[in-house]
Amino acid sequence: MADPKVTQAFAVTFVDELARAGLRHVCLAPGSRSAPLAMAFARHPAIRVWVHVDERSASFFGLGMAKATERPVALLCSSGTAAAEFHAAVVEAHHSATPLVVLTADRPPELREVGANQAIDQARLYGPAVRWFFDPGPPDDEPGAGARWRRLAGRALVEACGPPAGPVHLNLPFREPLTVEPGVRIEARPVAGWPLRAERREVRPPDVAVERLATVLMGAQRPVVVAGEMRDGGRLRRPLDALLARLDAPLLAEPGSQLRRQSALGLVESYDALLRDPAWARANASDLVLRFGAPPTSKSLSQYLGRFAASAIVVDPDRRWRDPDQAAADIVACDPVALLEGVAERLEGRSSGAWQYSWRQASASASAALDRQLNQSPMHEGHVVRALARQLPEEATVFAGSSMPIRDVDTFWPAAAPGQRFLGNRGASGIDGLVSTGLGVAAVTEEPAVLLLGDLSLYHDMNGLWAAKRHGLKAVIVVLDNNGGGIFEFLPQAEHRDVFEEIFATPLDLRLEHVARLYDLYFCAVEDAADLPDLLRRALAADRSTLVAARFRRKTSVEGHLACWQAVADAVR
């Protein structure tokens, strides 16, 4: 039998060191084996506990918090399949470089592989998706135990912060009894020295790399700058403006790069619609692409880069090899800010801007064509995105769901206010846990938060809505309700109508007003684009979370998108 005082001493010491090193949030689901840590978290004054009854929702909620704050968030669960429920969020954290400290309680070694209840193999449960895994075994009281426990907590945070950042997994077995007698308080073991700190040191580019890139850019006749998803992309704004003041290149920045903003130099906001016209794309081929952030969300941009761009340079500070086409001539692993500053200093004078100007003129024509077409067509995703962009406050966060929403934001969202931020789960691009991730973002942001999701994504994580009620969160959840998997209507599967509806479209026939009532949300529905501005204004001003159902048919969506793309093609030819 274990000494519960030792188990509790480990828990309070471990949690105290996490707090001392900067941890401020933990998401946990109730469980027996995790009781020592859960109680220690609940009693620590510096850490806020976010309780969820569903481990999957808890893990994605923590993921959203970590994405919004760029600081590690802890997840805690009991043993068995509870730990498996964290897996999808761990995978997304891995691919999106999001810091998480995953704590799975476990049975002690003597209860493994003997048929004991709720005992599964939790060693390296998440495979290569974690930055670090460790199982220290059940707590003991050997000399120096307190220092080892603190070191374990400190290292977990440092490993989670990277670079690159990502999830770490500590599997923590405990023997019964798990708790001490009520009223008995166990103090944390003494602190010795400073806590371990994760300090990101940006790798400055060597002078030779700066000189080489400056020379290549000066020699290019038709350079293009592409910015994919970057949660920290805002730090590139000034140095990128300085570069584009001297380099005749358009900037193709998706909203998630945090660089598609008003007054950004060289910005081409309607590139997705422009590049859907093969003739225009071919006529505006590039001889050099400078790319930052994740690979593009836009399929038309990806195809343009593959077909009509002669060469590419990818700036990849964490050396994550984000080059899916395997076509980059050079991958530069350094701080992009320092690289941009160094290159801008070496470029001579101001550029003529003729190449950049031609892209911006085409973009302006495309944007006007989109507005004209939207004004004369039945409501679809494009109307919702445009209306939301116009009603959103200057300081706000938009969490865009995978599948159609993130693509429609890329296509239809105009240049944003500098204080608007765009997040999503684009690491693995799944639809799991999107409600919870978005609400996790809302939990740690002071500005208004909007979740833009499809109806399938909402259904997939309906459990996550409980957090809005349980924790008193305020968010606007806009559901693009086309009764099924609308993105499949744009894919070749849609041509197989005999099986399409049953195995791809999967209509839900949900009454979303009932969903809102179940979770104590305000609810409103809209089917006419003219009603969108007023409804969105009221939802943003509401005193609690609101579910807005934007309803349209999948066929209307397809026809509306095709008409928009054709209108743009006609406008720029």
Side-chain angles (χ1 to χ4, degrees):
M1 178 180 294
D3 183 350
K5 292 183 179 179
V6 175
T7 300
Q8 200 66 36
F10 163 79
V12 297
T13 304
F14 179 82
V15 167
D16 184 64
E17 189 64 19
L18 288 175
R20 204 167 71 102
L23 186 80
R24 292 295 175 264
H25 301 279
V26 60
C27 298
L28 63 83
S32 175
R33 193 62 55 165
S34 55
L37 281 171
M39 294 165 66
F41 277 123
R43 290 169 175 159
H44 201 288
I47 296 179
R48 178 160 181 182
V49 174
W50 302 81
V51 176
H52 301 259
V53 293
D54 177 339
E55 285 85 3
R56 190 178 72 161
S57 293
S59 62
F60 277 102
F61 190 92
L63 177 81
M65 299 175 89
K67 286 193 174 193
T69 63
E70 294 295 346
R71 294 295 306 159
V73 171
L75 310 177
L76 173 65
C77 71
S78 188
S79 61
T81 58
E85 292 294 331
F86 284 173
H87 201 161
V90 170
V91 168
E92 170 61 28
H94 167 67
H95 286 281
S96 60
T98 305
L100 289 178
V101 177
V102 183
L103 308 173
T104 57
D106 199 358
R107 264 52 180 168
E110 63 269 19
L111 292 182
R112 300 175 191 170
E113 302 292 339
V114 293
N117 183 49
Q118 208 171 320
I120 68 171
D121 184 358
Q122 295 178 199
R124 304 191 181 277
L125 182 62
Y126 310 117
V130 295
R131 300 291 183 266
W132 180 54
F133 166 79
F134 191 66
D135 182 333
D140 60 55
D141 204 16
E142 295 296 321
R148 284 189 283 108
W149 300 339
R150 288 188 178 276
R151 188 76 174 184
L152 179 66
R155 181 176 174 183
L157 286 180
V158 170
E159 297 282 3
C161 291
V168 301
H169 175 205
L170 298 182
N171 192 57
L172 303 171
F174 298 121
R175 292 189 173 97
E176 294 181 333
L178 299 168
T179 62
V180 296
E181 292 294 322
V184 176
R185 298 301 293 267
I186 305 297
E187 298 297 326
R189 296 292 170 86
V191 171
W194 298 100
L196 290 176
R197 292 287 185 183
E199 296 182 7
R200 170 134 191 172
R201 293 182 174 86
E202 301 292 351
V203 178
R204 294 194 62 81
D207 288 343
V208 64
V210 175
E211 291 286 356
R212 183 171 69 245
L213 181 56
T215 300
V216 170
L217 288 174
M218 284 189 290
Q221 299 300 308
R222 289 182 155 197
V224 170
V225 178
V226 174
E229 184 193 36
M230 289 181 285
R231 294 195 302 271
D232 64 346
R235 59 192 291 266
L236 274 64
R237 290 174 180 176
R238 286 188 177 182
L240 191 55
D241 279 348
L243 177 74
L244 292 174
R246 301 178 180 182
L247 179 68
D248 186 10
L251 170 61
L252 316 185
E254 63 183 73
S257 70
Q258 323 309 328
L259 295 171
R260 187 189 289 189
R261 74 197 194 285
Q262 298 159 4
S263 79
L265 293 185
L267 181 67
V268 177
E269 66 185 40
S270 298
Y271 62 81
D272 178 74
L274 281 172
L275 295 175
R276 289 180 183 276
D277 180 2
W280 195 93
R282 185 179 300 106
N284 290 273
S286 169
D287 58 355
L288 180 66
V289 173
L290 178 60
R291 184 165 69 75
F292 299 88
T297 295
S298 165
K299 185 176 182 179
S300 64
L301 177 54
S302 294
Q303 291 175 336
Y304 170 80
L305 297 179
R307 298 174 184 174
F308 304 120
S311 181
I313 296 173
V314 175
V315 181
D316 186 12
D318 291 332
R319 203 183 292 277
R320 293 165 62 193
W321 294 93
R322 296 195 289 186
D323 178 33
D325 295 327
Q326 302 184 48
D330 195 2
I331 295 181
V332 185
C334 69
D335 176 17
V337 171
L339 181 68
L340 286 168
E341 291 172 344
V343 171
E345 290 175 357
R346 287 163 172 78
L347 297 184
E348 300 173 358
R350 301 186 66 86
S351 70
S352 67
W355 168 241
Q356 185 185 102
Y357 178 77
S358 69
W359 275 79
R360 287 175 55 79
Q361 285 295 96
S363 179
S365 297
S367 185
L370 288 175
D371 282 334
R372 286 194 300 270
Q373 185 58 43
L374 290 171
N375 285 337
Q376 63 189 44
S377 64
M379 190 177 78
H380 59 80
E381 294 94 336
H383 295 87
V384 180
V385 171
R386 268 309 209 239
L388 183 57
R390 290 172 179 140
Q391 299 305 319
L392 199 68
E394 291 192 359
E395 300 283 335
T397 297
V398 176
F399 180 82
S402 304
S403 200
M404 287 289 287
I406 192 73
R407 290 170 171 82
D408 282 310
V409 166
D410 198 8
T411 301
F412 293 103
W413 201 285
Q420 293 174 353
R421 183 169 53 156
F422 297 83
L423 300 174
N425 279 358
R426 292 301 291 169
S429 300
I431 67 167
D432 349 32
L434 293 176
V435 171
S436 296
T437 310
L439 290 178
V441 170
V444 290
T445 53
E446 295 182 359
E447 67 269 13
V450 176
L451 284 62
L452 184 64
L453 309 173
D455 55 306
L456 281 182
S457 295
L458 178 82
Y459 174 71
H460 209 275
D461 190 25
M462 266 174 48
N463 284 0
L465 292 170
W466 182 79
K469 178 179 180 179
R470 172 68 174 79
H471 299 296
L473 304 178
K474 184 175 178 294
V476 177
I477 305 164
V478 180
V479 181
L480 301 169
D481 184 9
N482 54 21
N483 197 26
I487 195 169
F488 292 109
E489 295 280 2
F490 293 83
L491 302 178
Q493 292 93 315
E495 299 174 12
H496 300 270
R497 302 312 296 189
D498 60 323
V499 295
F500 178 77
E501 200 71 8
E502 177 65 21
I503 65 175
F504 295 108
T506 56
L508 297 173
D509 297 318
L510 280 180
R511 299 287 296 274
L512 294 184
E513 55 267 42
H514 294 171
V515 175
R517 188 176 303 118
L518 177 64
Y519 293 103
D520 199 25
L521 310 174
Y522 287 135
F523 177 79
C524 54
V526 57
E527 298 183 15
D528 189 326
D531 297 328
L532 277 166
D534 182 58
L535 278 180
L536 291 172
R537 273 195 301 270
R538 285 193 281 130
L540 286 163
D543 59 1
R544 70 172 186 260
S545 290
T546 302
L547 183 64
V548 179
R551 293 169 171 161
F552 48 88
R553 297 169 60 232
R554 280 180 266 119
K555 181 180 179 182
T556 300
S557 171
V558 174
E559 292 172 347
H561 281 79
L562 293 176
C564 282
W565 299 333
Q566 186 59 53
V568 169
D570 292 342
V572 298
R573 283 179 181 172

